[in-house]
């Protein structure tokens, strides 16, 4: 009954209201809205078939270890990232090396991260004094066994699919590939498309 | 051909009618009753009266049975619950009524000569014919029946209202 | 008794039943695809896109999935009824089409034989359709009861109550149509609306549109489509009456729902929008006689056939519009509450249709 009272207050009984009710004006308005959407272009990003979203630079994807312009490793194995990590999923074992592999004479012998436990909070990235560690743009980490979630130095140092020079925040063309090693969505960075929020 | 069909429909109707009584589960009984009514509708078709058949399906199978089912499904079908409505010490009433009714039925059936019955001579009964007959020849019974239904409806509403208040 | 004419007659009948039956069985395949596409585009998505071009093979993939799924029968269910129920919904929905005319009589070229584009023209077709389509509800009620699950039972009960309430309004609407067309035969109803769209029952002002609205609202309620899909209300009942069903038995329910949707669309077209009649009179009459008169000879036969087949397209087109609006409305409106549903049925539709019957009666005197 309280609902009825509430409705009493809102109800108008003017000619316009009666007209609106008899001819289902509100219903037709609603139908027109859906019809308009039905005819408008869809905003779906056709991932993984032909399109792929490349995230913004501040996106926190899979870790990358970086080098300076001379190609030396930036990581000084200070273990700050391992300390900062709330889930303790980074392991760093330092060693001495003055052959110029790193920017200092201390480099990482072992640097590995267990992505199963990682929660992509980015604390490790913040803790890194040399900007060696950055969370990258890669987000395709689905696989059929755990081993692919354990990444070590070599893999992290390798060239990323999307280089840091590419700003991101766009949808690019892509190709869906089914290979021996599983499935892959190869992005074509030169083929830039409009992002979904501009598609309507 | 027709006789064969009649035999099929009639025997299914009788068997399902027995099932209505013999099934222990009321929902299954309802299903059997539905089947029985459908078979009777088929017999109506054989008697060249499609209108009656369709109305039978529409009213009895389509609407009345749904109501039955609705009630049966809401009721608790366990034995104990049912006994509250129909205590065993009142069973003698049932045993007394059944023979009386059976006797009456037998009397009516045996006392009728089925001479003029069977499919009408002029092919299917047309709806127009039925309509005309209802509104001319049988106008009084028709109106009486509708008043009767109205009374039943008013009665039902009054009873429901009393319980509501 | 079994002479060749009778055998031919029977053969034609079988062919017709076979064609109608297989079309009906196949129709849900494009319709599920269409529904998902419409849903997708209304929600600015694409809908199914990956199996086949624009996802057209998606229903087949779904079908394979359904076939391969385990057919689960709950342990405490009434097994026998549980298995029977989906078939009980399916059979009446298909049986309805026995009485539905898709077009007028067609003369087959070179034989001079006339074949009607309907299985049977009963003189009580309207009542037959109402009666038989009402039977489809049993599958839902029994399925809900036999599952031995609270949600399914509630779904079944709701559909029973809903069906009783809306069957009345639906019958009134149909009576209105019968009053407008003066016949209980669907073929006659369609024929009475020939000659341009102004002769359609819908345009019999002012009662026509009102009858149509009553009919279509009741139709939505009877087919359990949104906004009246209380029996399978996902929000409060999980999936309602078919919550315990899986695999093919579940697919039967889906099939029945789609066929019921087609039935209501077809009936709306036949009752209110002139069936296979074109909306306007063509400037030239492409009937067999005129064609024969114009050029005689054998191609007149084909023109004849063409003239008989074109109405089929009109019919299909109109039905398609209705099927689209079913989907369109489904993705526009939210679901009614149960008490609102009952209120619309008993307090709005039924009084409205009683008044409308009176008005129609006076107009037809
Ligand atoms: S992102 Fe967070 S959880 Fe993951 S490795 Fe870095 S600090 Fe640890
Ligand atoms: S990645 Fe950065 S924080 Fe981690 S050990 Fe190397 S230099 Fe230190």
């Amino acid at each position: 009954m309280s609902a009825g009272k509430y409705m009493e207050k809102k109800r108008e009984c003017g000619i316009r209201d009666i007209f609106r009710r008899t001819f289902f004006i509100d219903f037709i308005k609603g139908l027109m809205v859906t019809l308009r959407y039905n005819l408008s272009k869809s905003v779906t990003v056709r991932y993984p078939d032909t399109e792929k979203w490349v995230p913004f630079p501040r996106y926190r994807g899979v870790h990358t270890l970086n080098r300076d312009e001379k190609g030396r490793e930036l990581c000084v194995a200070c273990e700050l990232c391992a300390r900062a990590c709330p889930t303790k999923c980074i392991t760093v074992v330092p060693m001495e090396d003055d052959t110029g592999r790193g920017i200092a004479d201390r480099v990482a012998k072992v640097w590995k991260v267990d992505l199963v436990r990682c929660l992509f909070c980015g604390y490790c990235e913040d803790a890194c004094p040399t900007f060696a560690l950055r969370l990258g743009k890669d987000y395709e980490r689905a696989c059929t066994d755990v081993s692919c979630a354990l990444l070590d130095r070599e893999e992290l140092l390798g060239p990323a699919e999307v280089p840091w020079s590419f700003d991101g925040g766009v949808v690019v063309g892509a190709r869906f590939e089914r290979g021996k090693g599983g499935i892959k969505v190869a992005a074509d960075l030169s083929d830039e498309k409009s992002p979904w929020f501009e598609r309507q | 051909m027709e006789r064969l069909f009649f035999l099929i429909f009639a025997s299914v109707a009788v068997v399902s009618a027995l099932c209505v009584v013999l099934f222990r589960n009321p929902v299954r009984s309802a299903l059997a009753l539905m089947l029985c009514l459908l078979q009777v509708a088929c017999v109506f078709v054989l008697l060249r009266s499609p209108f009656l058949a369709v109305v039978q399906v529409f009213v009895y199978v389509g609407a009345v049975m749904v109501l039955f089912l609705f009630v049966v499904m809401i009721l608790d079908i366990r034995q104990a619950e049912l006994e509250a409505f129909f205590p065993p010490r009142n069973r003698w009433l049932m045993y007394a009524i059944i023979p009386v009714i059976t006797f009456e039925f037998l009397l009516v059936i045996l006392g009728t000569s089925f001479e003029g019955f069977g499919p009408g001579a002029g092919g299917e009964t047309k709806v127009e014919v039925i309509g005309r007959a209802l509104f001319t020849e049988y106008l009084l019974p028709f109106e009486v029946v509708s008043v009767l239904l109205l009374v039943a409806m008013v009665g039902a509403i009054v009873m429901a209202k009393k319980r509501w208040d | 008794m079994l002479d060749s004419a009778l055998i031919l007659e029977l053969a034609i009948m079988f062919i017709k039943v076979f064609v109608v039956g297989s079309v009906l069985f196949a129709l849900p395949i494009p319709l599920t695809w269409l529904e998902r596409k419409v849903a997708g585009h209304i929600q600015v998505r694409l809908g199914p896109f990956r199996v086949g071009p624009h996802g057209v093979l998606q229903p087949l993939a779904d079908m394979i999935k359904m076939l391969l799924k385990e057919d689960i029968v709950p342990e405490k269910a009434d097994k026998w009824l549980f298995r029977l129920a989906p078939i009980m919904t399916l059979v009446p929905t298909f049986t309805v089409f026995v009485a539905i005319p898709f077009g007028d009589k067609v003369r087959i070229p070179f034989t001079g034989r006339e074949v009607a584009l309907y299985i049977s023209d009963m003189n009580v077709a309207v009542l037959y359709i109402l009666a038989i389509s009402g039977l489809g509800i049993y599958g839902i009620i029994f399925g809900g009861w036999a599952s031995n699950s609270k949600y399914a039972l509630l779904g079944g009960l709701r559909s029973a109550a809903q069906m009783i309430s809306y069957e009345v309004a639906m019958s009134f609407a149909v009576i209105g149509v019968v009053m407008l067309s003066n016949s209980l035969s669907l073929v006659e109803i369609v024929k009475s609306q020939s000659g341009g769209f102004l002769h359609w029952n819908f345009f019999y002002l002012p009662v026509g549109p009102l009858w149509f609205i009553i009919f279509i609202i009741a139709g939505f309620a009877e087919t359990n489509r949104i906004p009246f899909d209380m029996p399978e209300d996902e929000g409060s009942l999980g999936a309602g009456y078919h919550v315990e069903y899986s695999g093919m038995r579940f697919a039967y329910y889906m099939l029945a729902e789609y066929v019921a949707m087609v039935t209501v669309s077809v009936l709306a077209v036949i009752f209110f929008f002139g069936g296979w009649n074109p909306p306007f009179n063509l400037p030239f009459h492409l009937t067999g006689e005129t064609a024969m008169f114009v050029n005689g000879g054998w191609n007149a036969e084909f023109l004849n056939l063409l003239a008989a087949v074109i109405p089929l397209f009109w019919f299909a087109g109109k039905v398609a519009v209705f099927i689209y609006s079913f989907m369109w409305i489904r993705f526009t409106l939210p679901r009614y509450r149960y008490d609102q549903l009952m209120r619309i049925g008993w307090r709005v539709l039924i009084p409205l249709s009683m008044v409308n019957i009176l008005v129609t009666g006076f107009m037809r005197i």
Side-chain angles (χ1 to χ4, degrees), chain C residues 252-325:
Chain C
Y252 286 157
Y253 276 124
M254 287 287 106
L255 199 66
E257 189 188 317
Y258 278 102
V259 177
M261 187 169 97
V262 176
T263 314
V264 173
S265 310
V266 164
L267 287 182
V269 168
I270 289 178
F271 286 159
F272 297 99
F273 291 89
W276 58 81
N277 290 315
F280 36 79
N281 279 324
L282 296 174
F284 55 94
H285 278 278
L286 199 64
T287 60
E289 285 68 31
T290 43
M292 194 79 85
F293 179 70
V294 172
N295 48 10
W298 62 271
N299 52 2
E301 293 277 4
F302 282 106
L303 268 180
N304 211 336
L305 188 66
L306 194 69
V309 167
I310 284 174
L312 266 186
F313 286 101
W314 278 117
F315 189 73
K318 290 178 197 171
V319 172
V321 170
F322 272 97
I323 289 177
Y324 175 74
S325 7

Side-chain angles (χ1 to χ4, degrees), chain A residues 31 34 37-38 43 49 200, chain C residues 41 44 49-50 324 328 332:
Chain A
L31 282 179
T34 41
Y37 276 115
N38 194 347
V43 296
D49 292 323
Q200 268 283 302
Chain C
H41 282 279
V44 286
F49 219 92
R50 300 206 64 197
Y324 175 74
W328 183 12
T332 303

Side-chain angles (χ1 to χ4, degrees), chain A residues 161-175:
Chain A
E161 196 194 359
V162 182
W164 284 111
S165 54
F166 191 79
D167 238 6
V170 288
V171 173
V172 296
R175 217 172 49 253

